[in-house]
Amino acid sequence: MEQQKLKELMDSLTLQEKIGQLVQLSGDFFGEGDLSTGPQAKLGIESWVSQHAGSVLNVLGADKVTDIQKRHMEHSRIPLLFMADIVYGYKTVYPIPLAMACSWNPEMVKQCMRNTAKEAAPDGAHVTFAPMVDVVRDARWGRCLESPGEDPWLNSVFAKAMVEGFQGSEEVCEESDRMISCVKHFAGYGAVEAGREYNTVDMSAWRLTQEYLPPYKAAVDAGCDMVMTSFNTIEGIPATANQWLMEEVLRREWGFNGVIITDYAAIQELIAHGVAADDKEAALLAMNATVDIDMKTPCYANQLQPLLEEGRLSIKKIDDAVWRVLTLKNKLGLFEDPFKGIDKTLAADRKSSPEFLRQTRKMAEQSLVLLKNEKEVLPLNPEQKVALIGPYADNQDMMGLWAVYGDKSQVVTLKTAMTEYLGEKSRNLKAAPGCRIMDNVSQLGDFGGMILAGNAMDGTEEENLAQAIDLAKWADVVVFAMGEHTLQSGESGSRTELEIPDSQKRFIDALLPYTKKSVTLLFNGRPLVLTDLMKKTDAILECWFPGSEGARAIVDVLYGQVNPSGRLTMSFPYTVGQIPVYYSSFRTGRPADTSNHSGRFVSRYIDCPNQPLFSFGYGLSYHQAEYGEIFLDKEVLTPGGSIRARIEISNTTAIAGTETVQLYLHDVSASVVRPVKELKAFQRLELAPGETKTAEFEIHEEMLKFYDQKLTCKAEPGEFELFIGRNSADCKKVKFQYVQK
Ligand code: BGC
């Protein structure tokens, strides 16, 4: 629709129609029959709100969406928008975002999100609440699962890739091929105090600007049309009421004129936060912060009109918000065709299509991170007798918590994948559950009706252990398939202990005396504490929640068909007491390794190293690579100029492999304290057996910039250290100067 026509439509709307656009309701408000006694009464809204509501939360399916839209259009002039959490796959599920990021392959991640849009859009999805790009440095927080990880720059790279994937930004594409992307949770949600879900965030504006905001900004710069507010506070003001954050930073500084939606019920929660006395005040605060859509509370629905009548809110504020929502609907072409993009046949064809399944398997191959491999236990040989034991040995719960639309029936289990791979040699495989995932699942609570699956086991603990001992005695290698219950991570999955559950620890201890060699496969949604497990098992493969085809990828790695290449994007702590632990920590006055102060009086723990067990960027492969020295083509960088850094990397083995070559910088002396290292570039280098290749990087001024005390982004002259290596803790180093005249 032309702007002028849209404007005319806008001017002709009644106040109720306008307010409706700013309200999002869940599917139960759009059913048939009498709603007034059900959901409407429960939420405390009148029927006009359901009639004029602007958008629907988490309802998908071509038929269902068509039906709701059809009935809606019988009494409304404005079509509904359908929004849903399609975070890392629709029916085809990709590895969790924390896993995908370990591929360090943004192009592939973009392709996976492209596929996701192609699968979900014809089934009625207009908007996905993704990507989630909160910087995460506290493994206690269950939502690490949804994020690419701990690094502001790397998260920004993935933010861009995912937005472009969902929205198809670079292609001219049909509505049935793309979804609008809503980046979340703006802002800083990954820094909730003590890793406890829905908790406070408090940090300096300096740190927020420098480390936490860049990934959201990257999403906005990539053209993302929606932003979701976070549940947390920023400098004492909840994000949903935070005018500085929403209006000044997001809209004014970044030029975002898309739609801001709250997180679930966040406007009404302003009362629980203690910054609003009642629904009316809450609605006013959110409106003043230019928040456009109220997700699932009665605040906007019931309070905007009284606020207007009392002169506390201007019609301009309401009109601006409505205009943004209408503009988005117009962009999708919904005024011409409210059913645009929905295509039942296409949706059916694309559901779990062979192409998407192939892609998720490739993605999983690159997401797996080999953490330990001793006694040459991996790769396995098909002639070896293998006992596959553990709660994930034959379990389809491999999608992780936010794959709410995933087709679980498609998920291949490890046992199936291994049997398939071994073919007639599958006589060399025996599998058993061994133990329960957890002793007690009741602490997990429920999640949208999700049953507490995955903990079932026939027989007693003793009987299962006896069976497992028999298998271990028979086998050459025991493959333990262990990890978290799906509900232990993800939203509301905060934990204070980060080892594998007790039932599994007990089981491994009981089985080890009968085990010749062992490999542990881990299924989890966050970094775990593996310090104890490291001492017990010969190899550890971090599998995360690897998605629909993850098991096949794991089997390929186990048997050496695929050389593992994943590198961690979040540090794994030695112990919970180290958290938050991340590679890019700030310099201190008494660094543990270089301080003049001796012994006790440096910045360290007396009972644990400062470094994590596995650092950011870490991961093993079956090949070995040697890194040469770094050569710079100049030692002085000037504004507008660049330095080329080169390093030779040799594959010293007969196995082809991929090295993820990582480049970090360190500003030696600046006007504010700077991190000890910051990732600035990386390259995936494929090396044939015995091959030597040169990785080349270009260093320019932009990479040296940081925020000073006045929040000015600039590069300051002086000395810089440049590191290139296989991970953040294992690098070669050179120095260069940056001069401004
Ligand atoms: C989560 C969001 C999600 C929303 C809608 C909230 O509880 O924090 O990430 O998008 O629900 O389902």
Side-chain angles (χ1 to χ4, degrees):
M1 187 185 277
E2 282 170 13
Q3 288 279 304
Q4 186 51 36
K5 283 216 149 157
L6 192 65
K7 185 86 196 27
E8 282 164 24
L9 173 68
M10 165 91 192
D11 291 343
S12 72
L13 296 180
T14 64
L15 185 60
Q16 285 191 343
E17 282 177 308
K18 286 183 181 174
I19 294 173
Q21 289 310 301
L22 311 183
V23 177
Q24 177 162 101
L25 298 173
S26 48
D28 44 346
F29 287 80
F30 300 90
E32 283 176 285
D34 183 11
L35 302 175
S36 56
T37 50
Q40 284 172 189
K42 206 167 148 215
L43 195 65
I45 54 170
E46 292 173 22
S47 56
W48 68 264
V49 186
S50 308
Q51 274 178 25
H52 293 305
S55 56
V56 189
L57 170 66
N58 281 335
V59 173
L60 289 179
D63 282 342
K64 226 189 280 174
V65 169
T66 305
D67 177 51
I68 292 177
Q69 191 76 293
K70 203 184 268 165
R71 283 189 287 112
H72 178 75
M73 293 312 287
E74 284 164 12
H75 55 252
S76 172
R77 297 188 274 169
I78 309 174
L80 286 162
L81 266 180
F82 288 81
M83 309 194 189
D85 290 284
I86 306 166
V87 185
Y88 49 95
Y90 182 49
K91 299 295 171 193
T92 308
V93 177
Y94 298 88
I96 57 169
L98 186 60
M100 283 197 284
C102 291
S103 69
W104 294 60
N105 192 340
E107 270 310 306
M108 188 180 274
V109 173
K110 179 170 155 181
Q111 187 56 53
C112 294
M113 298 306 102
R114 215 49 233 96
N115 297 349
T116 300
K118 286 185 174 177
E119 207 181 18
D123 224 15
H126 295 131
V127 175
T128 174
F129 295 129
M132 184 284 217
V133 293
D134 305 336
V135 167
V136 285
R137 294 172 171 181
D138 191 330
R140 289 170 297 185
W141 196 46
R143 304 194 78 166
C144 297
L145 173 155
E146 295 168 57
S147 162
E150 73 182 42
D151 187 62
W153 183 80
L154 195 59
N155 279 23
S156 304
V157 169
F158 282 111
K160 178 175 187 293
M162 290 194 271
V163 169
E164 289 177 353
F166 287 131
Q167 298 200 160
S169 318
E170 286 163 7
E171 310 157 28
V172 182
C173 51
E174 300 291 322
E175 298 313 328
S176 52
D177 281 354
R178 67 182 188 136
M179 292 187 288
I180 295 295
S181 169
C182 174
V183 67
K184 65 190 186 186
H185 307 87
F186 191 66
Y189 195 26
V192 279
E193 223 167 77
R196 203 184 71 221
E197 188 69 295
Y198 314 125
N199 203 6
T200 301
V201 171
D202 190 20
M203 66 173 83
S204 63
W206 172 67
R207 187 167 208 182
L208 183 77
T209 307
Q210 185 148 271
E211 299 187 346
Y212 285 81
L213 295 187
Y216 311 107
K217 169 106 176 13
V220 169
D221 289 345
C224 149
D225 283 305
M226 284 187 66
V227 173
M228 182 186 286
T229 68
S230 55
F231 285 127
N232 57 276
T233 52
I234 292 290
E235 296 197 333
I237 315 286
T240 305
N242 200 311
Q243 227 170 321
W244 170 74
L245 193 61
M246 300 300 156
E247 204 178 11
E248 259 185 71
V249 176
L250 178 60
R251 294 213 188 272
R252 214 163 293 154
E253 271 179 45
W254 298 2
F256 177 74
N257 39 31
V259 172
I260 303 180
I261 188 169
T262 71
D263 201 343
Y264 199 99
I267 296 187
Q268 206 167 44
E269 288 171 17
L270 296 175
I271 303 169
H273 267 292
V275 298
D278 50 27
D279 283 9
K280 194 186 277 179
E281 224 180 294
L284 183 61
L285 286 173
M287 261 309 195
N288 283 340
T290 71
V291 169
D292 302 312
I293 300 181
D294 177 355
M295 187 194 286
K296 273 297 298 250
T297 87
C299 294
Y300 276 9
N302 295 345
Q303 305 302 336
L304 295 190
Q305 183 165 358
L307 283 166
L308 200 63
E309 286 163 1
E310 290 162 24
R312 295 168 72 190
L313 179 70
S314 69
I315 188 70
K316 165 127 185 20
K317 278 236 154 60
I318 296 180
D319 283 352
D320 286 351
V322 174
W323 179 250
R324 289 188 284 260
V325 175
L326 295 186
T327 303
L328 188 61
K329 292 185 174 182
N330 195 31
K331 188 171 176 178
L332 288 164
L334 294 179
F335 290 109
E336 283 79 17
D337 176 7
F339 307 97
K340 196 156 183 190
I342 303 177
D343 185 332
K344 199 176 164 185
T345 317
L346 200 59
D349 279 359
R350 287 180 176 174
K351 242 164 236 177
S352 305
S353 80
E355 184 198 336
F356 298 163
L357 292 173
R358 241 189 332 271
Q359 185 73 48
T360 184
R361 179 172 177 171
K362 281 183 81 179
M363 189 74 252
E365 284 171 6
Q366 297 195 6
S367 306
L368 305 171
V369 186
L370 184 63
L371 298 175
K372 177 180 179 183
N373 188 18
E374 282 175 8
K375 294 195 207 157
E376 296 190 328
V377 61
L378 287 178
L380 302 173
N381 175 336
E383 302 300 334
Q384 283 171 309
K385 284 187 274 182
V386 171
L388 173 65
I389 308 180
Y392 280 102
D394 193 16
N395 187 341
Q396 288 183 304
D397 279 328
M398 296 220 269
M399 305 192 296
L401 192 68
W402 262 124
V404 276
Y405 300 100
D407 181 356
K408 188 168 155 185
S409 69
Q410 282 279 342
V411 178
V412 182
T413 75
L414 271 174
K415 183 181 168 194
T416 305
M418 223 147 149
T419 308
E420 184 184 277
Y421 174 79
L422 289 170
E424 56 187 37
K425 298 216 172 92
S426 59
R427 61 176 180 275
N428 287 339
L429 172 70
K430 290 187 181 175
C435 64
R436 290 202 161 78
I437 291 196
M438 297 176 74
D439 287 320
N440 176 8
V441 287
S442 65
Q443 59 177 230
L444 299 176
D446 206 356
F447 183 84
M450 192 186 282
I451 36 155
L452 297 171
N455 212 33
M457 194 176 69
D458 295 334
T460 63
E461 189 169 326
E462 292 71 29
E463 284 162 359
N464 277 278
L465 179 60
Q467 183 199 10
I469 289 174
D470 285 345
L471 296 198
K473 286 181 180 164
W474 163 83
D476 300 313
V477 183
V478 171
V479 175
F480 290 111
M482 306 311 220
E484 291 187 296
H485 188 289
T486 297
L487 288 174
Q488 276 186 293
S489 53
E491 182 166 352
S492 304
S494 294
R495 294 177 63 192
T496 59
E497 287 177 10
L498 296 178
E499 293 185 74
I500 56 171
D502 287 345
S503 56
Q504 300 178 39
K505 287 199 289 185
R506 249 186 353 256
F507 175 76
I508 291 179
D509 286 345
L511 212 64
L512 280 177
Y514 308 95
T515 301
K516 296 169 199 92
K517 285 183 181 179
S518 73
V519 176
T520 304
L521 306 176
L522 289 174
F523 297 84
N524 46 286
R526 52 149 65 83
L528 295 174
V529 170
L530 302 177
T531 312
D532 190 47
L533 192 62
M534 273 294 278
K535 295 177 201 145
K536 297 182 172 164
T537 182
D538 303 310
I540 300 181
L541 183 67
E542 178 52 75
C543 304
W544 310 108
F545 287 111
S548 311
E549 287 277 310
R552 291 201 170 103
I554 294 165
V555 170
D556 281 344
V557 166
L558 284 178
Y559 284 95
Q561 299 303 301
V562 167
N563 179 0
S565 61
R567 303 291 183 256
L568 297 177
T569 58
M570 200 177 166
S571 309
F572 274 45
Y574 256 101
T575 164
V576 171
Q578 275 187 320
I579 293 174
V581 61
Y582 50 95
Y583 84 95
S584 58
S585 56
F586 288 117
R587 299 256 299 272
T588 69
R590 295 188 179 194
D593 45 354
T594 55
S595 173
N596 293 333
H597 293 274
S598 60
R600 190 178 171 84
F601 299 99
V602 295
S603 179
R604 68 178 184 98
Y605 297 104
I606 51 177
D607 57 355
C608 169
N610 284 2
Q611 306 311 323
L613 180 63
F614 299 115
S615 303
F616 177 83
Y618 176 85
L620 303 172
S621 294
Y622 294 150
H623 72 279
Q624 302 285 337
E626 262 175 25
Y627 284 60
E629 296 306 319
I630 305 170
F631 290 98
L632 302 184
D633 68 346
K634 325 183 186 68
E635 280 168 13
V636 178
L637 180 67
T638 49
S642 66
I643 294 183
R644 290 194 85 73
R646 286 188 298 121
I647 186 166
E648 277 195 350
I649 297 159
S650 307
N651 181 355
T652 57
T653 57
I655 302 160
T658 304
E659 278 296 300
T660 298
V661 188
Q662 303 161 32
L663 183 144
Y664 300 86
L665 291 181
H666 169 221
D667 190 341
V668 177
S669 174
S671 57
V672 289
V673 171
R674 305 288 300 122
V676 292
K677 252 178 215 153
E678 287 175 294
L679 182 74
K680 293 292 171 184
F682 65 89
Q683 240 178 68
R684 283 172 53 88
L685 206 66
E686 286 178 17
L687 293 167
E691 188 180 22
T692 297
K693 269 191 183 164
T694 303
E696 270 198 42
F697 298 93
E698 202 173 283
I699 319 300
H700 45 82
E701 190 188 24
E702 204 54 36
M703 293 160 116
L704 314 186
K705 287 190 175 167
F706 62 92
Y707 288 88
D708 70 5
Q709 203 188 6
K710 295 194 170 125
L711 298 191
T712 307
C713 188
K714 61 175 182 186
E716 287 179 352
E719 186 174 69
F720 284 79
E721 290 176 336
L722 183 154
F723 305 85
I724 301 181
R726 61 184 99 237
N727 63 62
S728 61
D730 183 358
C731 296
K732 295 286 169 78
K733 178 171 96 175
V734 290
K735 292 185 177 186
F736 68 90
Q737 298 287 327
Y738 170 63
V739 294
Q740 284 184 328
K741 339 177 225 205

